[in-house]
């Protein structure tokens, strides 16, 4: 292949690479939060996650303070806010400001002033105060180092506080290969973070639903 031909091929490769990068950048910048919210709020997902029963099993009481970590569209945030009542608080915590804006909008529409949004950091949920419950649904697998992240949680819990976790145990969505972990791995991570298993629910088909409490019974009052 001559020098001129080689240069032409190289130029084509450079232009093609630049086009791909520009396309990817455009996709990232023009992501559709509304479409994502529709997926999170879909009737199929609500049915699959059995939202009402999950909330029922939390046995929330009026006046409690809850952190919905990875709140997404607020699918669980809103019913939890209804359960804890006007004297309680639910912190909707997420790293996505568009999702938090949606939660604020829907909270206002449903007259739920006890929902407060928090923009989290990548490695710290930044919960504003010690809470009675940290609820994490379909979120932990997105966290880069879940074992280390979970070690943040005890300082955000009251003495008798609990952590409720829901995540996939089978039929993981496509594109999640590198994010998968097992319930046994979670057990090890939680133990290392200072927790012990309190309850394991089995009514969800594709997800585990487990509740942990502090192993030493101590923490913020």
């Amino acid at each position: 292949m001559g020098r001129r031909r080689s240069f032409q091929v190289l130029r084509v490769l450079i232009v093609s690479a630049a086009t791909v990068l520009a396309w990817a950048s455009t996709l990232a910048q023009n992501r559709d939060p509304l479409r994502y919210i529709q997926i999170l709020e879909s009737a199929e997902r609500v049915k699959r996650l059995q939202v009402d029963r999950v909330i029922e099993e939390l046995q929330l009481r009026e006046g409690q303070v809850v952190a919905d970590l990875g709140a997404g569209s607020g699918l669980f945030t809103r019913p939890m806010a209804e359960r804890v009542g006007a004297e309680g608080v639910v912190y909707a915590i997420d790293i996505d400001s568009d999702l938090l804006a949606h939660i604020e909008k829907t909270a206002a529409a449903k007259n739920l002033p006890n929902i407060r949004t928090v923009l989290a950091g990548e490695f710290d949920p930044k919960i504003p105060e010690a809470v009675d419950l940290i609820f994490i649904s379909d979120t932990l697998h997105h966290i880069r180092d879940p074992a280390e992240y979970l070690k943040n949680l005890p300082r955000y819990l009251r003495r008798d506080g609990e952590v409720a976790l829901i995540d996939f145990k089978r039929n993981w969505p496509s594109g999640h290969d590198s994010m998968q972990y097992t319930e046994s791995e979670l057990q090890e991570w939680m133990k290392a973070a200072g927790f012990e298993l309190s309850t394991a629910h089995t009514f969800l088909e594709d997800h585990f639903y487990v509740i942990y409490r502090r192993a030493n019974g101590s923490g913020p009052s």
Side-chain angles (χ1 to χ4, degrees):
M1 183 182 293
R3 179 179 298 179
R4 183 177 179 182
R5 176 60 176 166
S6 297
F7 175 77
Q8 290 175 335
V9 171
L10 178 61
R11 184 172 62 180
V12 169
L13 290 173
I14 292 172
V15 171
S16 298
T19 301
V20 170
L21 289 173
W23 176 71
S25 177
T26 299
L27 283 179
Q29 293 174 5
N30 296 320
R31 63 187 178 83
D32 186 353
L34 180 59
R35 174 59 182 155
Y36 185 47
I37 289 167
Q38 289 173 340
I39 293 172
L40 293 177
E41 300 275 342
S42 68
E44 185 276 332
R45 185 167 186 262
V46 172
K47 180 180 179 180
R48 175 166 47 85
L49 286 175
Q50 299 189 48
V51 174
D52 290 342
R53 185 171 178 185
V54 165
I55 297 295
E56 184 68 30
E57 296 294 346
L58 291 174
Q59 299 180 18
L60 296 172
R61 302 183 302 277
E62 290 192 7
Q64 286 190 307
V65 181
V66 177
D68 186 1
L69 203 167
S73 64
L75 182 64
F76 288 98
T77 310
R78 293 184 293 273
M80 287 194 290
E82 292 172 351
R83 289 297 183 101
V84 301
E87 299 301 316
V89 176
V90 177
Y91 291 106
I93 299 171
D94 209 286
I95 61 171
D96 190 315
S97 58
D98 289 328
L99 293 176
L100 294 178
H102 172 77
I103 291 175
E104 290 174 351
K105 181 179 178 180
T106 55
K110 290 183 173 293
N111 192 28
L112 293 169
N114 60 340
I115 292 177
R116 302 173 189 174
T117 59
V118 177
L119 185 63
E122 182 180 358
F123 303 106
D124 189 344
K126 299 184 179 181
I127 304 172
E129 62 176 307
V131 300
D132 297 293
L133 172 71
I134 297 176
F135 180 83
I136 310 174
S137 176
D138 279 0
T139 296
L140 192 62
H141 62 264
H142 288 291
I143 294 173
R144 187 179 302 176
D145 189 345
E148 287 301 312
Y149 188 91
L150 291 170
K151 293 177 182 178
N152 286 315
L153 302 190
R155 64 191 174 103
Y156 290 120
L157 277 179
R158 294 177 176 174
R159 289 184 181 179
D160 58 349
E162 295 180 317
V163 179
L165 292 119
I166 296 175
D167 218 331
F168 289 93
K169 63 183 177 184
R170 60 184 177 187
N171 294 327
W172 286 77
S174 61
H176 284 60
D177 292 350
S178 63
M179 305 179 191
Q180 296 182 23
Y181 66 94
T182 66
E183 195 173 344
S184 295
E185 288 176 304
L186 175 63
Q187 175 81 359
E188 293 177 2
W189 299 340
M190 292 299 283
K191 183 178 180 180
F195 294 97
E196 62 184 8
L197 183 64
S198 174
T199 308
H201 298 289
T202 59
F203 59 85
L204 296 177
E205 183 176 352
D206 292 330
H207 293 72
F208 60 76
Y209 175 18
V210 289
I211 299 176
Y212 284 83
R213 61 190 175 198
R214 297 177 62 94
N216 57 14
S218 64
S221 58

